[in-house]
Amino acid sequence: MKIILFYSSIGQGHISAARAIEQAIVRQNPEATVLSKDIRDFMDPVNRMLDEKIYWFVVKNLPHLFDAMFRSLQEQGNIASSLTWLPSDYPELRVLEYLKAENPDAVMATHYGSAQVLGNLREKALIPGIKIGWLHTDYFEGYFPRISMRIDRTFLAHPELVGRWVAAGVSPDLIETSGMPVNIPASESKASKKCLEQIGFDTDVKTITIASGKEGAGNFPSAVMSVAEAIKEPLQIIAVCGRNENQQQALHKILPTLPRHVKLKILGFIPQADLVAFIHASDVFITKAGGLSPAEAFTLGKPTILLNVISGHEKENAEFFSKLGMAEFNTDIRQLGAQVLSILSDPEKQALMLEAQKGFRANLDIGKIARFLLDPGIKARCAEPDFGLENGIAASNVHDAIEQLEADAPADIEILLSYSSSQKDERIVMENPFGHIAIRVGDTVYSANHVCDPANDGLLLQHMSLAQYLFGVMPPSENQVHTSTYGMAYGRDTLGLRIKGLNSSSLKHMHAEAARIEEEFRTGACKWDKYGANCADFVARILRAGGYDIEKMKGPSFIFTMPLDVFETLYAAFSSDAGYQTELTAYRRLPGSQASYRFSRFPLSLGQPVRSLARVITGAKPDKIEKNISRQLSGYIGDERIYYENLSARIATSELNDLDRSRIHAKSMEQILIEEARQLIAEQKILRVDLYRQRAEQHIMREFHYLIERCYEVARISTEHAQVFLSDPNIQTLQEAFGSLMDEYASLNLSKGEVDRLPAFIEKLSEFRKVIESGFSDADQKQHALASEVRMVSDNLQERFKSGFDIAQQILTTMKSKTTAREISAGGANHSGPRSKNRRRKKTVSPVITRKERP
């Protein structure tokens, strides 16, 4: 048996889930062949690279835009008449070629994108016989129940989600609760202690693990500082930054500033087994709200805090977990430490959280997924062999669905535009590229039958109910063409313009005109003719009898009447008139139909050549008028029921409150992008200013180091030279002054820039200057020749001292006003070299240099 597992490399959770499912399959059937395939491999390499870079840039830098994009996608999925219309990053033809080459028995997806592509291929009847399953690795519904309707089985992580899927119309037999597959080694307790010991941590000290996926998204330094400042007892923090080197560098910078009772271990991308071991050893686990990391913590039974790192789907996940009490949701990183402290100091809160997690673990049964894939008795969904055939099996639940539609959108008349249909999938339907149009007046559909024989049938216009017209399989009379004059939904899509507000007199005249057409047909005065008496002409004639004569509805005079032109003219006229209520409804072609004509294309029009050419080129993309559909009757392959769907009533997310909903609709995507772009630019400016300030302070520190060294060296050389001609008392005084200066110099840690020690050094430097000036003055009286030479040196030295002294004082003032000693010390490493070097100098006896040896 061959099984393909589709995952997406955009998230580590999809990969982990696929691996867990593969292990479950092998445990049940070691002989099964399991192929794991990244759905992103089907993308163009350049597009894939750009897509990933843009995705992570938006996620990390434009959270509100990402959230708006997520909600927009969910809204598109909810209101689209067909999921095949949604944009997709994964080329269906490439996926189809791969499936045909591998010919699997079953396919399992751990990412919604691959499940959606598989559903598209299933709906188009391109992969018959292949069983399709999907594990939903998140905890919200959005439009995803619509994916589940098109495949064989959806596995959800929690019963709460199952209830939402059923409420969305998904049949219960298409859903199972499997929990979230995780890989937790059996001997995790021992391994966790060993992991702590390997990184130099104590197994008896409170431990916090912070991780946010392989991308290391979020603000690790702020998280660590918030926790470190809130917890006053000994604490160990493990920060797993994934492949994010910037996070690691930022943590190394704050490492020297952490309180002494806090130990921090900074790690990069580590094996999943190691991360699980650290989670198991921790007292609290802090992570982002992906599908797998929280599930691992819940499986281990660990108090968990979820960070508001990635908006959109992860925010939905976090709110889901928080609502059910399995974790706390942090929306302000500054309050993270307080949340951790609250959990650590409240055993009752821990117990309640662990009890909720216990309920989550009770749902875990990965074996369900493996059994579904391996059981030959579970077949791929498919329609009955004669479903949709003339005199075959008809769709069920038709009348109930139509009654629901009629209750929500009542109509006096309905214009029915049916698409073109063909026996093969072709861009231009050669038999009838222009489609068909009919009109329903009251309960009766009038539809021209081009093959009608007056000798046998007697009726040119079909007189039937909407259910018969759309879903009938029994011919209403002789000389009928199935899917052409009745049973349209088995071969083609149909648009219905439902109009409410007509008076009873107009309806009566319309019925009378239909009867008049039939009488003319019987007498031979009227017959079907594509150039002057086609289906569109008869619809226009019936409307004209009711008082709705629109000259332009027949299109340009030099061509015959086009169904699309008539339909759109009526749509524009009635929808713009406030006296009428209009509703655009779609009656979807039923997938799985075995009718000969079962490929449907949007109708073309000779009156609109440019638009028609564009339709041929773009293929299956929705037409502009299709985007206005608000309700539809549809079906799903392998399911004979008809579903009524109110697309306008769908919501994009599951847990939006009124404030969130109003905020979402108040701003357009463009407004959000502009606002966040401005904010990002402002933040970049701040970062540049901070970088400039940091470089300026580093420059000041270098100058500071240079001047201190220079002052000390000048003092040392001056002392050595002055001993040649000073008197003994002056020499002793000078040596004492230099000794005091040397002591202060040795106490400075130049690498850390200890500004607090600088005033004492400057004071000793000033005292030394006074002593040496006094000594030179005495020498000038005793030894005029030598003093003359020394005075020149003294003046030079005094100028250098004065310059160094003034600059040092200026540096001290600047550094005190711009930064603190802690900030300066955080900028450099904790080196002990200069201090030990200075102390070695203190013990060294300066040699006496004679006059001849002086430089």
Side-chain angles (χ1 to χ4, degrees), residues 30 167 213 246:
N246 291 333

Side-chain angles (χ1 to χ4, degrees), residues 819-836:
T819 184
T820 63
R822 171 178 288 185
E823 290 173 334
I824 296 174
S825 64
N830 185 14
H831 298 298
S832 59
R835 180 177 296 224
S836 59

Side-chain angles (χ1 to χ4, degrees), residues 111-254:
H111 179 250
Y112 83 92
S114 49
Q116 188 166 309
V117 169
L118 293 169
N120 290 348
L121 296 174
R122 165 70 65 80
E123 186 173 312
K124 297 174 183 178
L126 297 175
I127 50 174
I130 298 179
K131 190 162 45 178
I132 302 174
W134 168 43
L135 169 69
H136 182 33
T137 53
D138 283 300
Y139 299 83
F140 68 96
E141 73 267 26
Y143 72 88
F144 292 169
R146 302 187 72 185
I147 298 177
S148 301
M149 290 180 174
R150 308 193 303 167
I151 60 177
D152 301 304
R153 196 70 52 86
T154 297
F155 295 92
L156 301 170
H158 198 275
E160 173 84 8
L161 295 176
V162 173
R164 294 182 185 180
W165 253 247
V166 172
V170 183
S171 177
D173 62 319
L174 301 179
I175 319 165
E176 281 195 73
T177 304
S178 63
M180 191 64 67
V182 292
N183 290 312
I184 304 297
S187 59
E188 194 55 43
S189 180
K190 295 181 180 179
S192 63
K193 293 182 178 180
K194 186 177 181 181
C195 277
L196 288 183
E197 293 171 353
Q198 287 177 344
I199 63 174
F201 275 15
D202 194 329
T203 57
D204 297 325
V205 175
K206 296 288 186 185
T207 303
I208 310 293
T209 294
I210 305 175
S212 64
K214 68 176 182 180
E215 293 294 328
N219 188 340
F220 273 66
S222 296
V224 170
M225 291 300 298
S226 179
V227 174
E229 291 174 358
I231 309 299
K232 303 305 180 184
E233 60 181 307
L235 181 67
Q236 300 172 152
I237 302 176
I238 304 169
V240 185
C241 304
R243 303 189 190 280
N244 195 324
E245 295 182 359
N246 291 333
Q247 295 280 23
Q248 298 182 53
Q249 294 172 5
L251 288 175
H252 279 292
K253 287 182 180 179
I254 70 165

Side-chain angles (χ1 to χ4, degrees), residues 394-431:
S396 63
N397 201 39
V398 171
H399 293 285
D400 291 340
I402 291 179
E403 285 179 5
Q404 284 184 283
L405 172 62
E406 191 64 34
D408 282 359
D412 298 316
I413 65 171
E414 185 170 10
I415 312 302
L416 298 162
L417 174 67
S418 295
Y419 294 15
S420 59
S421 63
S422 63
Q423 299 187 47
K424 58 182 179 180
D425 194 10
E426 51 189 2
R427 287 292 181 93
I428 302 178
V429 179
M430 301 307 297
E431 289 189 47

Side-chain angles (χ1 to χ4, degrees), residues 301-303 325 349-359 361:
K302 287 295 169 183
K349 179 180 288 188
Q350 294 181 40
L352 290 173
M353 188 179 293
L354 297 181
E355 185 65 26
Q357 293 178 4
K358 183 179 178 181
R361 292 195 298 273

Side-chain angles (χ1 to χ4, degrees), residues 725-730 775-787:
F725 50 82
L726 294 183
S727 62
D728 291 342
N730 285 338
F776 282 150
S777 176
D778 292 343
D780 183 38
Q781 298 176 1
K782 295 180 180 179
Q783 300 183 15
H784 296 285
L786 181 60

